[in-house]
């Protein structure tokens, strides 16, 4: 009916089997030879494909089971070059610039981990492009160096505008929980976070948000 994904049917498809075989080629990738934007586009695609791959093979995590979500994102992995990267490694270690994890309070790659050298500067718009498989997540996009800037801008605008409402009477801004979980990635103060979000919403919302942030 268009409201869900047939992961079981996908698992039996010839296209999925071809994809699984192709993932072996990730072992030949030389990440150190890539530019920052190439790593960003590549890892966004790896993460989003990896989530779907994991859902097909083991099924979506069960939020009612303690540790299920953490286990899925921590154990779903690809070997890229000589290193193993879990979905968490890709998101928090590489794309978030090895920033402190918002709930664990530690950096994903400890000192001495060679993967830490591959971390790239944090671009908050990644949170509008990473797909966790939930219905509240952004739609999947395919990124490359040529469309990266435009693609991230479109992803941020589409996601932020669709998820954000403003009520000036109650001085309330409502948006995705993603921006609560990763508020430190967006700005160091509430006003900074509102101004960042305002860049990616419609003009009427933007004006109202900036009035509230003033």
């Amino acid at each position: 009916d268009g409201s869900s994904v047939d992961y079981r049917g996908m698992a039996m498809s010839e296209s999925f089997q071809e994809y699984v075989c192709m993932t072996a080629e990730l072992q030949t990738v030389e990440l150190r030879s890539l530019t920052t934007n190439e790593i960003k586009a590549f890892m966004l695609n790896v993460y989003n494909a990896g989530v779907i791959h994991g859902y097909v093979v083991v099924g979506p995590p069960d939020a009612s089971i303690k540790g299920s979500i953490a286990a899925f994102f921590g154990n779903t992995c690809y070997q890229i070059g000589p290193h193993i990267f879990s979905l968490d490694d890709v998101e928090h270690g590489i794309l978030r610039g090895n920033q402190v994890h918002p709930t664990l309070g530690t950096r994903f790659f400890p000192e001495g981990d060679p993967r830490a050298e591959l971390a790239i500067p944090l671009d908050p718009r990644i949170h509008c492009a990473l797909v966790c498989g939930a219905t509240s997540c952004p739609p999947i996009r395919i990124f490359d160096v040529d469309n990266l800037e435009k693609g991230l801008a479109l992803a941020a605008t589409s996601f932020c505008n669709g998820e954000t409402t403003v009520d000036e009477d109650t001085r309330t801004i409502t948006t995705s929980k993603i921006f609560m979980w990763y508020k430190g990635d967006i700005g160091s103060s509430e006003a900074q976070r509102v101004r960042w979000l305002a860049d990616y919403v419609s003009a009427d919302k933007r004006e109202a948000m900036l009035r509230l942030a003033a």
Side-chain angles (χ1 to χ4, degrees):
D1 62 2
S3 64
S4 60
V5 178
D6 180 11
Y7 293 112
R8 180 174 297 179
M10 191 182 297
M12 296 184 292
S13 72
E14 182 177 339
S15 295
F16 179 72
Q17 299 308 316
E18 291 175 356
Y19 169 78
V20 172
C21 292
M22 290 173 62
T23 60
E25 297 180 19
L26 292 172
Q27 299 176 49
T28 68
V29 175
E30 293 286 348
L31 288 174
R32 283 182 171 79
S33 70
L34 304 183
T35 66
T36 294
N37 279 346
E38 286 173 336
I39 291 175
K40 188 186 297 184
F42 178 75
M43 286 301 199
L44 283 168
N45 294 333
V46 164
Y47 181 95
N48 290 339
V51 169
I52 301 303
H53 192 168
Y55 274 28
V56 171
V57 174
V58 301
D62 186 343
S64 67
I65 300 175
K66 185 177 181 179
S68 175
I69 294 176
F72 177 84
F73 289 94
N75 295 332
T76 303
C77 307
Y78 286 128
Q79 180 175 339
I80 304 174
H83 304 298
I84 302 296
F85 291 89
S86 69
L87 295 174
D88 273 341
D89 292 332
V90 171
E91 178 179 6
H92 303 293
I94 303 298
L95 292 172
R96 292 187 61 241
N98 206 27
Q99 302 276 338
V100 172
H101 190 280
T103 56
L104 298 178
T106 58
R107 298 186 188 279
F108 244 71
F109 297 150
E111 186 176 351
D113 190 324
R115 297 174 300 172
E117 300 174 7
L118 300 167
I120 61 175
L122 169 65
D123 181 341
R125 297 175 300 176
I126 65 167
H127 296 302
C128 305
L130 293 173
V131 179
C132 67
T135 55
S136 58
C137 282
I140 292 178
R141 299 172 184 267
I142 298 175
F143 297 94
D144 58 39
V145 173
D146 293 332
N147 73 15
L148 181 63
E149 181 58 35
K150 182 178 180 180
L152 283 173
L154 286 171
T157 299
S158 175
F159 186 65
C160 292
N161 192 58
E163 293 290 318
T164 304
T165 59
V166 185
D167 188 333
E168 286 194 88
D169 292 335
T170 61
R171 299 187 60 81
T172 302
I173 298 171
T174 304
T175 191
S176 169
K177 287 184 178 180
I178 289 174
F179 301 123
M180 176 185 70
W181 298 333
Y182 297 103
K183 61 183 181 182
D185 291 359
I186 309 302
S188 58
S189 67
E190 185 174 284
Q192 285 183 355
R193 292 190 284 273
V194 169
R195 284 193 288 270
W196 182 89
L197 192 60
D199 284 340
Y200 300 103
V201 297
S202 60
D204 57 331
K205 291 180 183 178
R206 182 183 307 115
E207 292 169 2
M209 290 171 71
L210 293 178
R211 285 193 293 269
L212 291 177

